[in-house]
Amino acid sequence: MGATAILTGVLLLGAGATPSHSASSVSAIRYEVTFDATTRLRRALAVKMRFRVDAPGAVRLSLPAWTPGAYEISNFARKVSGFTASAEGRSLGLRLSLPAWTPGAYEISNFARKVSGFTASAEGRSLGWDKVDFDTWRVRVDRAGEVLVRFDVLADSLDNAMAWSTPDFTFFNGTNVLLFPEETGLDFSARLSMTGMTETGQPREYVAASYHELVDMPIFVGRFDLDSTQIAGRWYRLASYPEGALAGRARDTFWEWTEQMLPPMVAVFEEVPWETYTTLLVFDERYPGGSALEHGNSHVGIYNTRFIGSPLLASITAHEIFHAWNVKRLRPAELLPYDYARPQATTLLWVSEGITDYYADLALVRGGIIPPAFFYRMTSDKVQTVSDAQPVALEDASLSTWIQPSDGSHFMYYPKGSLAGLLLDILIRDESDNRRSLDDVLRGLYRTTYKNGAGFTEVQWWEAVREAAGGRSFEQFYRRYIDGRDPYPWTRILPLAGLVLKADTSRVPRLGVSTSQDSNGIRVVQVVPGSAAAEAGVVPGDYLVRIGAVKVEGLEFGSAFRARYRRRREGSDLPVTVRRGRAAVELPARLVFADDVSLRLDADQRATSKAQRIRDGILRGLVDR
């Protein structure tokens, strides 16, 4: 494909900004972002913001501190440089003439007929400005008229919430580059002009009805592959960088996955809330794993090239598409509307993220992408992750994600929340004789809250669960397993769905760390006292680079380590290399073995007929009417 600029989303014309209590009312907001042969050399986006003020005064312009879906304060303002503000020139009323002929050529040529696009203005004046806080600029406007603000944004972070660039490509989010006037509010319409490395070199202009809508649309600019298809009457686009990375049979497989996973998701909510949907993918062999970020009708995924063709790529894709319903529309009340200047903590992220992860797995098995045995394996991995981690309440993990505790507990609302979804689904189906399911909870809340412009509260969530289960109380379930830290009651609840959890014990090499993955690699979040890692001097905050001969490239390093050293003599040397700050440090360690309890979910061959119906209902997305 040739060089392209793409903005995801359907943009609609809207009314001008509605001013509120501002010294200078702001209207006619326009943005221009440029990534071209000049800016790419410094890995920068050149940003302009134009607006009109109706009176002298101060205008406070802020840049978001975070991107919805990435629940962390990123402080995008730290990437800004070269900020300037000026008053745009005024139109002039001069009489200017162009000659009609050239001496020596004795004829009237009327050169004026070759003239077009004539304008005249006085040179713009610099305006004073200062910083109100770390992400807010105050511009002092001395008279009514047009104001121009310019600055650069460094695009150097390979993170789906940030801006990143190479010599032939960039992607960014609106939250990274688009200032908003604080006093005006966020319901103003705005124009965005994107000038980039397109084949024509001409800017492309888009209009959004609100700031929320505009910044929710990630942008790819440069050289990348792009194609589209219709699924059930809606258009879907697939953009991937670099060119040729996702091509041939691998690209065909990705499209097949998309077509298979969508119907089970649509069946949950019984509607498709977009006219078009775009999947934007970046593949980079230096990226340590895979991650993605949802938007209203798109998502951006960044992956190591090893993810191409892997079911993990299908799983993350399903997770992000399901987010278009659950969290972008069906949203906890604390997240409505978005406030881009501060953390918006909620105890319900386990619903938004964890239950979304449960339905991502269901979409794969219900769509025929994976068999039931693979669904059991994926669920087993989550059970194992929760079992191996220190106990944490789902509500606490939902709140803690904003500060990212060093023990890694803030990520537990993904696997533990997914398992809570499975348990609730089983209990609802059991109480209703498989006539209702967790689908009914999500669908009902979607209609009663999102459709009425509201978010859902904790009380509304549990009321919807209770209603779906025919009036059963979930107070004890909430107290012990959501607000509490009790182990999940697998032996009591799984048989209700014809499932059984089996445990196998073996002696395996064990390093003794808990880890999480971020854009810098595999970070140690906890070290087990007395373990090989503790004796070697590994500390939380270290990034694992190598364990003996095993290179640490992703969260699956543990299986590679155990397979490599399972037949070695316990106590033998095992050097561990970590990255501490900017330095690589090699630590002396010895090989230590420990009991490993492997948990495995499977179908119970002795299940009752009712339990079999519930199990089949979960796997196929059906209820008994």
Side-chain angles (χ1 to χ4, degrees):
M1 295 287 180
T4 309
I6 182 171
L7 178 74
T8 70
V10 179
L11 300 182
L12 305 174
L13 288 169
T18 302
S20 61
H21 305 292
S22 172
S24 296
S25 295
V26 176
S27 61
I29 297 173
R30 294 163 290 159
Y31 302 98
E32 180 181 329
V33 181
T34 300
F35 179 75
D36 58 18
T38 300
T39 65
R40 69 178 181 174
L41 297 178
R42 58 182 190 272
R43 298 193 75 181
L45 304 170
V47 183
K48 295 179 182 177
M49 177 185 184
R50 288 183 169 89
F51 53 89
R52 177 177 293 277
V53 295
D54 62 358
V59 177
R60 294 158 62 104
L61 303 174
S62 287
L63 195 65
W66 67 290
T67 292
Y71 303 105
E72 59 182 4
I73 295 298
S74 299
N75 293 321
F76 301 124
R78 62 194 171 92
K79 300 290 186 178
V80 171
S81 64
F83 186 94
T84 64
S86 61
E88 292 277 60
R90 303 181 308 281
S91 296
L92 301 177
L94 304 177
R95 293 171 61 91
L96 303 172
S97 293
L98 192 69
W101 66 288
T102 296
Y106 302 105
E107 61 180 357
I108 298 298
S109 299
N110 291 323
F111 301 122
R113 62 193 172 91
K114 301 291 187 178
V115 174
S116 64
F118 182 89
T119 63
S121 64
E123 185 177 354
R125 306 178 320 282
S126 293
L127 297 177
W129 61 270
D130 64 351
K131 295 291 291 289
V132 178
D133 53 44
F134 50 82
D135 58 13
T136 304
W137 290 259
R138 177 169 49 200
V139 177
R140 301 182 186 89
V141 182
D142 57 0
R143 67 182 70 169
E146 295 281 334
V147 175
L148 169 64
V149 168
R150 297 172 182 255
F151 56 92
D152 282 353
V153 172
L154 186 62
D156 67 343
S157 300
L158 187 54
D159 183 301
N160 40 46
M162 305 291 285
W164 182 72
S165 65
T166 67
D168 66 348
F169 172 79
T170 187
F171 76 78
F172 60 92
N173 296 278
T175 49
N176 307 148
V177 298
L178 303 182
L179 296 166
F180 61 90
E182 284 191 350
E183 296 86 355
T184 299
L186 299 174
D187 292 327
F188 59 85
S189 67
R191 294 178 180 272
L192 169 63
S193 176
M194 182 68 234
T195 304
M197 302 166 61
T198 60
E199 292 173 337
T200 64
Q202 297 299 313
R204 300 185 179 184
E205 188 170 84
Y206 310 89
V207 181
S210 74
Y211 182 84
H212 292 296
E213 183 179 323
L214 189 60
V215 300
D216 190 41
M217 297 171 187
I219 298 176
F220 270 25
V221 181
R223 304 192 67 86
F224 54 88
D225 291 327
L226 175 66
D227 59 349
S228 59
T229 190
Q230 277 197 323
I231 302 174
R234 305 293 173 99
W235 279 104
Y236 293 82
R237 297 185 292 182
L238 173 58
S240 60
Y241 175 83
E243 290 179 303
L246 185 67
R249 181 55 192 157
R251 196 174 190 89
D252 292 340
T253 298
F254 190 91
W255 273 121
E256 291 168 6
W257 286 341
T258 304
E259 292 185 30
Q260 290 173 270
M261 68 177 63
L262 274 166
M265 299 188 208
V266 174
V268 175
F269 296 94
E270 298 181 344
E271 77 163 26
V272 179
W274 57 73
E275 292 301 320
T276 65
Y277 189 94
T278 306
T279 300
L280 304 103
L281 305 177
V282 172
F283 294 96
D284 193 302
E285 61 183 10
R286 297 163 297 178
Y287 197 71
S291 65
L293 182 67
E294 72 274 5
H295 297 274
N297 65 343
S298 65
H299 74 269
V300 177
I302 306 174
Y303 301 94
N304 186 282
T305 52
R306 291 180 288 109
F307 276 71
I308 295 174
S310 165
L312 285 174
L313 179 57
S315 177
I316 298 174
T317 299
H319 180 105
E320 302 308 324
I321 293 177
F322 197 81
H323 264 320
W325 287 279
N326 189 27
V327 88
K328 295 308 295 186
R329 290 171 174 84
L330 175 60
R331 194 185 307 174
E334 295 89 346
L335 295 177
L336 193 72
Y338 288 129
D339 183 338
Y340 303 98
R342 63 174 181 86
Q344 287 182 271
T346 173
T347 59
L348 292 166
L349 278 188
W350 68 273
V351 174
S352 300
E353 294 290 353
I355 287 183
T356 290
D357 212 47
Y358 172 57
Y359 274 91
D361 295 347
L362 291 181
L364 300 189
V365 69
R366 291 174 180 178
I369 298 172
I370 60 173
F374 200 91
F375 172 79
Y376 299 151
R377 176 183 164 188
M378 295 170 74
T379 305
S380 300
D381 289 344
K382 295 174 183 178
V383 175
Q384 191 75 58
T385 298
V386 173
S387 176
D388 291 343
Q390 66 180 32
V392 60
L394 278 174
E395 290 195 342
D396 294 346
S398 298
L399 292 170
S400 296
T401 189
W402 285 98
I403 62 170
Q404 299 188 8
S406 60
D407 63 4
S409 60
H410 56 294
F411 285 112
M412 291 306 295
Y413 60 75
Y414 284 94
K416 192 172 184 180
S418 176
L419 297 175
L422 170 63
L423 295 176
L424 290 173
D425 203 4
I426 293 173
L427 290 172
I428 292 170
R429 288 174 180 271
D430 180 68
E431 289 291 337
S432 65
D433 196 25
N434 203 41
R435 290 186 174 88
R436 305 290 295 275
S437 73
L438 191 60
D439 295 14
D440 293 281
V441 176
L442 296 178
R443 186 184 308 123
L445 284 173
Y446 184 83
R447 292 172 177 172
T448 58
T449 61
Y450 163 67
K451 288 293 189 177
N452 289 307
F456 67 93
T457 65
E458 191 171 90
V459 170
Q460 289 174 307
W461 168 261
W462 290 111
E463 176 60 25
V465 172
R466 186 195 64 78
E467 181 181 349
R472 168 181 173 154
S473 172
F474 282 82
E475 182 177 346
Q476 186 182 47
F477 184 96
Y478 163 77
R479 186 172 62 253
R480 295 185 62 185
Y481 309 120
I482 306 300
D483 188 38
R485 291 176 288 278
D486 287 4
Y488 283 157
W490 297 118
T491 56
R492 177 171 62 86
I493 295 181
L494 285 179
L496 300 176
L499 299 170
V500 61
L501 189 65
K502 301 175 181 178
D504 299 318
T505 303
S506 59
R507 293 282 291 176
V508 298
R510 181 65 57 81
L511 183 61
V513 295
S514 296
T515 59
S516 66
Q517 182 172 322
D518 59 29
S519 58
N520 294 315
I522 305 302
R523 184 171 66 90
V524 175
V525 295
Q526 187 178 19
V527 178
V528 177
S531 66
E535 292 184 10
V538 178
V539 297
D542 284 344
Y543 284 86
L544 293 178
V545 176
R546 186 177 292 274
I547 306 171
V550 177
K551 189 175 181 181
V552 178
E553 296 181 311
L555 289 175
E556 69 280 1
F557 75 90
S559 358
F561 163 62
R562 289 188 289 274
R564 179 66 180 262
Y565 288 95
R566 62 184 178 180
R567 292 187 173 88
R568 293 287 183 90
R569 178 176 57 83
E570 186 168 9
S572 57
D573 290 340
L574 182 73
V576 176
T577 304
V578 301
R579 189 172 70 255
R580 187 171 292 169
R582 296 185 178 182
V585 180
E586 183 171 308
L587 302 171
R590 61 184 180 86
L591 188 60
V592 174
F593 283 72
D595 287 340
D596 179 66
V597 180
S598 178
L599 300 172
R600 178 167 48 89
L601 186 71
D602 205 351
D604 185 354
Q605 302 304 319
R606 298 175 297 176
T608 66
S609 60
K610 177 182 177 181
Q612 290 180 43
R613 285 190 290 111
I614 291 175
R615 183 180 65 212
D616 291 345
I618 290 172
L619 295 174
R620 299 170 61 193
L622 302 175
V623 291
D624 299 328
R625 297 299 187 189

